Amino acid sequence: MAGADSGAYEGFTAEERAAMKEHARGLKTAARRSSPAEKAAQAEQDVLAKIAEMQESDRIMAERVHAVITSTAPDLAPKLWYGMPAYALGGKVVCFFQSAEKFKSRYATLGFSDQAKLDEGTMWAAGFALTEVTPEAEERIAALVKRAVS
């Protein structure tokens, strides 16, 4: 966060403000859709369009993550969440893909919300850095997603 070192709060970064505005636009757009089937179909198209806009390295990873999640857990519904591809169960986000570009990070992130059933004792990972989606990473993602929705 800007100003964290100085102790002075300087507000949200430009990237954070853009993500909040994108989230608000997404909520308004979803509210205008009529049938649940139309909403679901359009939400997936929105996710695919967002992935297509990403820089090549992020796009390649996001496409693979999307394919793994949708094949591993078909009950998860793709949707945009703060401008990121996300996957929800009963309307609540379980996991999401955050491109490196989104917040000018050095790696993409596969994140899990508190809805994910990944609990391990008193501490567990809720986010994973991704620099490449290899076949081994795909297996791990599938296992995490399967566990998250179990």
Side-chain angles (χ1 to χ4, degrees), residues 94 112-113 115-121 123-128 143-149:
V94 173
F112 291 87
S113 76
Q115 300 298 309
K117 298 174 184 165
L118 298 176
D119 306 36
E120 287 183 6
M123 187 172 122
W124 58 89
F128 297 85
L144 285 165
V145 169
K146 188 176 281 189
R147 193 166 143 212
V149 297

Side-chain angles (χ1 to χ4, degrees), residues 13 15-16 50-51 53-63 65 83-85 96-111 128-133:
T13 65
E15 292 83 8
E16 290 167 329
K50 182 55 69 175
I51 290 171
E53 293 173 4
M54 293 178 184
Q55 292 180 345
E56 184 178 12
S57 60
D58 284 336
R59 182 179 37 65
I60 291 167
M61 287 190 289
E63 288 170 346
V65 167
M84 296 177 282
F96 60 91
F97 177 85
Q98 178 181 300
S99 69
E101 180 185 25
K102 181 85 174 160
F103 294 108
K104 297 179 176 43
S105 176
R106 65 184 181 93
Y107 52 80
T109 303
L110 173 65
F128 297 85
L130 290 171
T131 57
E132 182 180 6
V133 179

Side-chain angles (χ1 to χ4, degrees), residues 5-26:
D5 293 334
S6 69
Y9 177 72
E10 296 180 18
F12 294 106
T13 65
E15 292 83 8
E16 290 167 329
R17 284 191 303 276
M20 288 185 285
K21 286 178 183 177
E22 204 163 356
H23 181 62
R25 274 193 306 272

Side-chain angles (χ1 to χ4, degrees), residues 18-109:
M20 288 185 285
K21 286 178 183 177
E22 204 163 356
H23 181 62
R25 274 193 306 272
L27 291 174
K28 287 178 188 175
T29 299
R32 287 192 295 266
R33 295 185 182 128
S34 56
S35 73
E38 180 184 281
K39 288 179 183 185
Q42 188 58 53
E44 181 157 19
Q45 289 305 311
D46 292 347
V47 166
L48 294 173
K50 182 55 69 175
I51 290 171
E53 293 173 4
M54 293 178 184
Q55 292 180 345
E56 184 178 12
S57 60
D58 284 336
R59 182 179 37 65
I60 291 167
M61 287 190 289
E63 288 170 346
R64 294 304 314 139
V65 167
H66 178 78
V68 170
I69 291 172
T70 55
S71 66
T72 301
D75 290 344
L76 288 178
K79 66 183 275 180
L80 287 180
W81 185 61
Y82 293 97
M84 296 177 282
Y87 305 86
L89 188 60
K92 296 185 179 187
V93 170
V94 173
C95 57
F96 60 91
F97 177 85
Q98 178 181 300
S99 69
E101 180 185 25
K102 181 85 174 160
F103 294 108
K104 297 179 176 43
S105 176
R106 65 184 181 93
Y107 52 80
T109 303

